[in-house]
């Protein structure tokens, strides 16, 4: 097999990883603070749409990314307030917010662009590509790192920063303590409600970023429900990475590869089959890697795992 | 007499909260319609005229409500027991796909074929849902994630089969299976209208599920598991068995939803027919608005189906996207979920479920 072909698959995998990685990090920060957030999908989708809409109006990718992050954060705030402040059931809020955003983006697509289904236009400005100084001269490495946007590189930085924040700073420790034992944290003067809402808003921002990385990454377009379960795949990646940002990078890369595999093999295998590969891979990965945890878990932890996982 | 009075009072207690939420949801919708650039009042009047207040549209709404209603029952069955099945769409796809194939290809007397098709379909739906239960039980794979992933898998795999080996080649464009025989279709009630026996089967399923959840040991056990898994186990409920039977029931009901649509309206399996229509998700919304009560879910499903039909007619006449209906419906759930008026519904099952979940969480 041609080495350059393999490298281009890896390259495609790196680009598919970004949205999943961001969703997984969003899931991790919520789970760590003790909130089960199922609305990741909706938080991503609003980012995808707002990114394209702002891009269309301002022709500035930077503004588009920032607006997407804010939009994701706003949806996150809605989820956080409902779930944390009003104690609404997490699954109920999550699923209905996902449906709400799906409908809202479809309506806004019609209001802003006057189209239904999807929007694509040559006037949309794609994200600039990063040209690495030395590596782009080396033959094989240049294929590997070809066409990656700043968003792709930044996502790994975010994962590392989140790791440092959670495990090496006092603020991060407070967040973890709220997730582990709410009463104990509150007796230390930490507001569980505020911490949790902040965590959900942060997850919204991360998802908005992931969403815009999807709609302005490999392609520059918006289609209804274009996230296609990536929020949930992110939850799976978070699950595999056991809520640890560094481990999550590797879990997300696995799902990025299954995405890239589906995209590159669709000329040889019928695309109807390859499209299902990322979803099958998600279930298989969860089966293979979570086997040991079930054995370790005691009975009391079992119900906890049920609520969190 | 007092029994009837109590029942009426109970109905009122169950229903008034959703009605308030529906009103607030309609206000959210009105704001969006204003943004789109139309007068919300005239839009709403047209919407309800073209969904409930003319016989033609009423029948259309009732016909549409069949798959939605049955999907909502599938949600009620599983969510009540605390198993968050998001895979109703996949289960109805797989179940009705298998059912249709049996109906199209199995030789034999019509009556036998129908029974075989329905049974095979229900078993396929149940099996698809049981797989999620199995990997949760053995490998602790979250049912939320696995069932959702299986929706996509079901759509793509069935599309693969009907694109190639099982396709009806008489049509060049449409990707679909062959039609089921005339004699197997659900009879229509009025000539020339698609409204058919399926609606009454759906109502029968509501009553059946109501009976199962309120009068049988299984219903009681699954409700206890949903309210407090630890206590239920302490009380001698075999949690694993309850989970398997609940998920199987949910999957079988979901398969019925798909088969009622195919045997009553479409007469064949068409590529991604349940993904594009979103019946499972509308059913989910109906179940959540009604607080996971089978009869409430029945009424809510008919209401939401009417909104979908009305929304489609508005899209035709004014161009407002049909998703306005989904937007209104999902905001209704959010209003229900926050329980702004919690004092009046302390005994609500939803709240109890939320609390027990929180207790497990902390």
């Amino acid at each position: 097999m041609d080495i350059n072909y393999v490298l281009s698959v890896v390259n495609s995998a790196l680009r598919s990883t970004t949205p999943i990685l961001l969703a997984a990090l969003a899931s991790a920060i919520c789970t760590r603070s003790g909130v089960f957030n199922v609305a990741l999908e909706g938080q991503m989708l609003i980012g995808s749409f707002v990114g394209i809409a702002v891009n269309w109006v301002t022709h500035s990718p930077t503004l588009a990314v920032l607006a997407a992050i804010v939009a994701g954060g706003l949806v996150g705030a809605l989820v956080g307030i409902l779930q944390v402040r009003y104690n609404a059931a997490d699954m109920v809020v999550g699923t209905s917010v996902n449906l709400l955003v799906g409908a809202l983006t479809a309506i806004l697509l019609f209001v802003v662009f006057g189209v239904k289904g999807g929007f694509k236009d040559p006037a949309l400005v794609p994200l600039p590509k990063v040209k690495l100084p030395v590596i782009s001269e080396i033959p094989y490495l240049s294929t590997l790192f070809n066409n990656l946007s700043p968003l792709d590189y930044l996502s790994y930085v975010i994962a590392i920063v989140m790791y440092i924040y959670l495990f090496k700073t006092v603020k991060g420790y407070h967040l973890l303590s709220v997730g582990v034992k709410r009463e104990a944290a509150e007796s230390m003067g930490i507001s569980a409600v505020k911490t949790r809402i902040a965590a959900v808003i942060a997850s919204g921002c991360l998802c908005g970023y992931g969403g815009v990385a999807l709609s302005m990454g490999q392609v520059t377009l918006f289609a209804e429900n274009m996230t296609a379960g990536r929020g949930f795949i992110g939850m799976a990646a978070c699950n595999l990475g056991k809520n640890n940002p560094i481990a999550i990078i590797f879990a997300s890369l696995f799902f990025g590869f299954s995405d890239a595999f589906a995209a590159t093999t669709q000329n040889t295998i019928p695309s109807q089959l390859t499209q299902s590969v990322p979803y099958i891979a998600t279930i298989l990965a969860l089966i293979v890697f979570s086997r040991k945890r079930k054995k370790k878990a005691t009975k009391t932890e079992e119900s906890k795992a049920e609520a969190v996982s | 007499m007092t029994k009837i009075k109590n029942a009426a009072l109970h109905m009122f207690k169950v229903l008034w909260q959703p009605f308030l939420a529906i009103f607030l949801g309609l206000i959210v919708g009105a704001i969006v319609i204003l943004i789109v650039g139309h007068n919300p009042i005239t839009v709403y009047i047209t919407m309800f005229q073209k969904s409930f207040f003319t016989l033609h549209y009423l029948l259309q709404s009732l016909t549409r409500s069949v798959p939605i209603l049955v999907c909502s029952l599938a949600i009620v069955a599983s969510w009540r027991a605390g198993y968050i099945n998001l895979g109703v769409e996949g289960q109805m796809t797989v179940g009705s796909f298998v059912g249709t194939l049996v109906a199209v290809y199995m030789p034999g007397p019509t009556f036998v074929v129908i029974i075989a098709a329905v049974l095979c379909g229900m078993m396929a739906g149940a099996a698809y849902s049981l797989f999620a239960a199995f990997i949760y039980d053995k490998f602790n794979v979250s049912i939320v994630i696995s069932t959702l992933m299986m929706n996509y898998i079901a759509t793509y795999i069935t599309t693969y089969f009907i694109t190639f080996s099982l396709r009806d080649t008489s049509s060049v464009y449409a990707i679909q299976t062959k039609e089921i025989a005339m004699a197997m279709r659900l009879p229509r009630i009025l000539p020339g209208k698609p409204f058919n026996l399926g609606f009454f089967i759906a109502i029968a399923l509501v009553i059946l599920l109501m009976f199962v959840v309120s009068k049988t040991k299984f219903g009681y056990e699954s409700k206890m598991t949903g309210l407090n898994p630890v206590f239920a186990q302490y009380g001698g409920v075999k949690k694993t068995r309850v989970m398997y039977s609940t998920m199987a029931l949910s999957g079988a009901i979901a398969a019925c939803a798909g088969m009622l649509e195919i045997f009553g309206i479409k007469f064949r399996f068409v590529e991604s027919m349940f993904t594009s229509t979103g019946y499972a998700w509308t059913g989910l919304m109906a179940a959540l608005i009604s607080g996971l009560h089978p009869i409430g879910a029945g009424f809510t499903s008919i209401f939401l189906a009417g909104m979908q039909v009305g929304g489609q007619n508005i899209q035709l006449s004014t161009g407002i996207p049909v998703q306005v209906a989904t937007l209104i419906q999902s905001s209704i759930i959010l209003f229900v979920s926050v329980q702004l008026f919690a004092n009046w519904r302390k005994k609500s099952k939803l709240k109890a479920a939320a609390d027990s979940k929180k207790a497990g969480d902390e």
Side-chain angles (χ1 to χ4, degrees):
Chain A
M1 199 186 267
D2 183 11
I3 182 92
N4 260 319
Y5 175 76
V6 175
L7 287 175
S8 72
V9 173
V10 177
N11 176 263
S12 154
L14 287 177
R15 284 180 285 157
S16 317
T17 302
T18 312
I20 295 168
L21 174 59
L22 266 303
L25 292 175
S27 179
I29 197 163
C30 285
T31 316
R32 285 286 184 185
S33 75
V35 179
F36 182 43
N37 186 354
V38 202
L40 303 174
E41 187 86 7
Q43 295 170 350
M44 278 179 100
L45 191 61
I46 196 81
S48 300
F49 175 79
V50 169
I52 289 294
V54 173
N55 188 327
W56 169 252
V57 175
T58 63
H59 301 292
S60 156
T62 320
L63 281 179
V65 171
L66 291 177
I69 292 172
V70 172
L74 286 175
V75 175
L78 174 72
V79 175
I81 290 169
L82 291 181
Q83 268 181 225
V84 181
R85 172 73 184 76
Y86 288 103
N87 282 331
D90 42 21
M91 283 308 306
V92 176
V93 173
T95 42
S96 48
V97 164
N98 289 340
L99 291 166
L100 182 85
V101 174
L104 187 68
T105 49
I107 296 166
L108 289 177
L109 187 67
F110 177 71
V111 175
V112 179
F113 302 110
V115 292
K116 281 167 186 167
F119 178 76
K120 190 184 180 188
D121 196 281
L124 289 170
V125 187
L127 282 168
K129 304 298 176 204
V130 176
K131 204 160 183 268
L132 294 170
V134 184
I135 286 171
S136 57
E137 307 296 320
I138 306 167
Y140 292 123
L141 284 180
S142 65
T143 324
L144 188 60
F145 292 103
N146 191 21
N147 268 331
L148 293 177
S149 73
L151 289 189
D152 295 322
Y153 291 102
L154 198 58
S155 59
Y156 298 93
V157 177
I158 291 175
I160 294 163
V161 168
M162 189 193 275
Y163 178 82
I164 296 169
Y165 172 78
L166 282 178
F167 300 111
K168 308 285 175 204
T169 69
V170 177
K171 282 264 174 204
Y173 236 81
H174 288 173
L175 188 142
L176 294 182
S177 65
V178 170
V180 174
K181 191 80 190 165
R182 179 185 175 151
E183 289 80 5
E186 277 176 336
S187 73
M188 299 280 291
I190 306 160
S191 162
V193 172
K194 272 185 194 163
T195 312
R196 284 182 175 172
I197 291 183
V200 180
I201 292 175
S203 90
C205 294
L206 290 169
C207 282
Y209 178 116
V212 77
L214 183 69
S215 65
M216 288 168 56
Q218 308 211 27
V219 288
T220 309
L221 60 87
F222 179 82
E224 276 177 29
N225 291 324
M226 74 182 299
T227 44
R230 280 184 181 78
F232 288 90
I233 295 181
M235 280 166 67
C238 171
N239 213 325
L240 288 189
K242 295 179 181 167
N243 303 322
N244 179 328
I246 305 296
I248 282 173
I249 293 180
F250 296 102
S252 308
L253 277 170
F254 170 77
F255 293 120
F257 268 99
S258 68
D259 255 3
F261 175 80
T264 47
T265 51
Q266 62 186 357
N267 295 327
T268 44
I269 306 168
S271 67
Q272 293 86 354
L273 285 184
T274 57
Q275 277 173 314
S276 64
V277 166
Y279 307 105
I280 296 175
T282 306
I283 293 182
L284 283 181
L286 287 175
I287 290 177
V288 170
F289 288 102
S290 59
R291 193 172 190 173
K292 280 175 191 162
R293 251 187 301 168
K294 173 86 178 179
K295 277 181 191 163
K296 270 186 202 166
T298 61
K299 275 189 179 162
T300 43
E301 275 171 356
E302 214 176 288
S303 57
K304 192 182 161 188
E306 189 183 332
V308 176
S309 64
Chain B
M1 206 49 208
T2 40
K3 226 176 185 180
I4 297 171
K5 205 179 157 190
N6 281 345
L9 207 70
H10 179 73
M11 283 303 275
F12 175 76
K13 272 184 187 164
V14 173
L15 287 177
W16 83 269
Q17 186 80 22
F19 273 114
L20 188 73
I22 286 168
F23 178 72
L24 293 173
L26 286 174
I27 290 178
V28 172
I31 296 168
V32 173
I33 293 169
L34 270 178
I35 295 171
V36 180
H38 288 272
N39 180 349
I41 294 170
T42 49
V43 167
Y44 277 148
I45 289 173
T46 334
M47 188 161 152
F48 286 106
Q49 266 173 356
K50 292 192 173 176
S51 54
F52 291 115
F53 295 112
T54 8
L55 183 68
H56 174 75
Y57 290 113
L58 177 68
L59 287 177
Q60 214 177 326
S61 299
L62 292 181
T63 314
R64 177 69 63 84
S65 74
V66 173
I68 294 172
L69 201 167
V70 183
C71 281
S72 77
L73 295 181
I75 296 285
V76 169
S78 53
W79 284 49
R80 270 179 83 94
Y83 298 107
I84 307 298
N85 178 8
L86 289 182
V88 170
E89 191 175 279
Q91 289 141 20
M92 78 192 285
T93 303
V94 169
S96 62
F97 179 67
V98 171
T100 312
L101 290 185
V102 172
V104 170
Y105 292 104
M106 187 178 150
T110 311
F111 185 69
V112 177
V113 175
I114 291 182
I115 302 268
V118 171
L119 284 181
C120 289
M122 284 171 70
M123 283 196 295
Y128 205 59
S129 150
L130 275 177
F131 178 72
F134 173 74
I135 60 177
Y136 172 68
D137 182 31
K138 292 290 177 242
F139 307 107
N140 205 17
V141 175
S142 154
I143 288 183
V144 176
I145 299 176
S146 62
T147 51
L148 192 103
M149 293 294 122
M150 284 161 79
N151 287 341
Y152 292 95
I153 299 171
T155 307
Y156 289 128
I157 301 290
T158 51
T159 306
Y160 169 75
F161 281 118
I162 51 175
T163 312
F164 297 102
S165 44
L166 300 170
R167 183 168 178 173
D168 177 18
T169 42
S170 63
S171 161
V172 183
Y173 301 107
I175 300 173
Q176 54 194 19
T177 62
K178 289 196 177 71
E179 273 194 323
I180 56 171
M182 216 55 176
M184 289 181 205
R185 299 175 187 179
L186 290 169
R188 293 184 171 181
I189 309 294
L190 296 170
K193 306 269 188 213
F195 184 66
N196 59 65
L197 192 66
F199 181 74
F200 298 98
I201 298 177
I203 300 294
L205 285 173
V206 172
I207 295 163
L208 198 68
L209 186 68
M210 192 61 213
F211 175 76
V212 168
V213 299
S214 60
K215 300 283 178 213
T216 65
K217 183 173 161 238
F218 167 71
Y220 180 72
E221 285 186 345
S222 85
K223 184 181 155 190
M224 288 315 294
T225 319
L227 289 175
N228 191 338
V230 181
F231 177 74
Q233 206 161 21
Y234 181 73
V237 175
K238 289 198 177 61
K239 207 179 137 195
T240 324
R241 212 187 57 200
V242 170
M243 174 184 67
Y244 279 119
S245 30
T246 308
M247 287 298 282
L249 177 70
S250 181
I253 298 175
C256 287
M259 285 191 287
L260 285 176
E261 174 77 358
I262 288 176
F263 285 75
I265 314 284
K266 289 280 196 286
F267 310 129
R268 53 167 107 219
F269 190 92
V270 186
E271 177 207 11
S272 60
M273 63 188 296
F274 300 121
T275 317
S276 52
T277 45
Y279 292 141
W281 297 105
T282 313
L284 174 78
M285 292 194 280
L288 292 182
I289 291 172
S290 63
L292 304 179
H293 189 279
I295 293 177
F299 283 112
T300 321
S301 298
I302 295 173
F303 178 69
L304 298 195
M307 281 179 76
Q308 297 279 2
V309 170
Q312 268 172 0
N313 289 316
I314 285 174
Q315 175 164 328
L316 287 178
S317 55
T318 62
I320 299 172
V322 63
Q323 281 87 354
V324 166
T326 314
L327 184 96
I328 296 170
Q329 291 159 2
S330 46
S331 25
I332 292 172
I333 307 173
L334 291 180
F335 285 118
V336 172
S337 77
V338 293
Q339 302 167 14
L340 290 170
F341 316 95
N343 286 341
W344 282 282
R345 41 184 291 148
K346 264 184 182 158
K347 285 177 185 169
S348 151
K349 280 154 206 143
L350 218 79
K351 185 172 161 62
D355 285 348
S356 77
K357 206 157 200 180
K358 248 182 68 199
D361 202 12
E362 285 166 7

